[in-house]
Amino acid sequence: VRVRYSRATSSTAVTDIIGKINEELSDCIYALKDVTLAHAVATRLLASGKKLCIAESFTGGGLASALIATPGMSNALIESIVCYSNDSKAERLGVPRKVIADNGAVSADTAFEMANGLLADPACDVAIATTGIAGPDADGTNKPVGLCYIAVGTREKVRVFRFRLSGDRETVTRTAINLALFLAYKEIS
C-alpha cells in the first residue's frame, strides 16, 4: 500500500491515515516504509540474533539470494540448500524415503521433514523449506502446477502452509519466494 499526499496535507493527517492502515492490515504488513520484504526479514533476523537455515526445492535458491542482498546476512544465515532431487531431500535433509514415496516430493509431509532436517542442526533457530511445482507441467505427477508447500518453524513448532499459485513458472516461483519471506517474517516476530 502506498499513501500519496500533497505538501498541503498535514503531517498529523498522514500519521493518522498510516496508523489506521496499520491497524486494519496489521497481519499483512511487514513495514511502514519503502523496503523490500527480503530486507525486512533480514533486518529482523539480524536484530533477533537468530540463525536461519533454508532448504529450497522448486524456488531453486531464490529465497537465499533475496536475503543475502542485505549486508551482514552472513551473521544470520547458516546455510541454504537447494535440494531439487528426491535423493537430496532424503540424503542431505533426512526426509524419510517412505514419506516421499507415500506422499510425493510436493507434500506437506515432505516440507515438514525438510524443515525438521534443517532444525537437527543445533545452530539453527529458524528453518524455511519450500517444495512445489512451478511448471510449465506437473512432471508426471498427478498434482497441479502451482501447488506448493512452505514450512517455517523453530524447534518448538514447524508450520506447513499449502498454496495453489497461478501464473507462469517465473511468477509461481517469485510468489512462493515472497510467501516464504512473509511467513518467515511473522515467525521471527
Side-chain angles (χ1 to χ4, degrees), residues 43-91:
T43 301
R44 181 160 281 188
L45 193 60
L46 289 164
S48 75
K50 294 179 181 176
K51 304 297 183 189
L52 173 68
C53 293
I54 303 169
E56 297 184 71
S57 185
F58 84 118
T59 51
L63 186 54
S65 180
L67 287 168
I68 64 172
T70 298
M73 268 308 288
S74 60
N75 294 314
L77 180 61
I78 294 175
E79 67 182 338
S80 175
I81 302 165
V82 176
C83 49
Y84 213 64
S85 74
N86 291 345
D87 286 339
S88 176
K89 289 174 183 70
E91 292 166 18

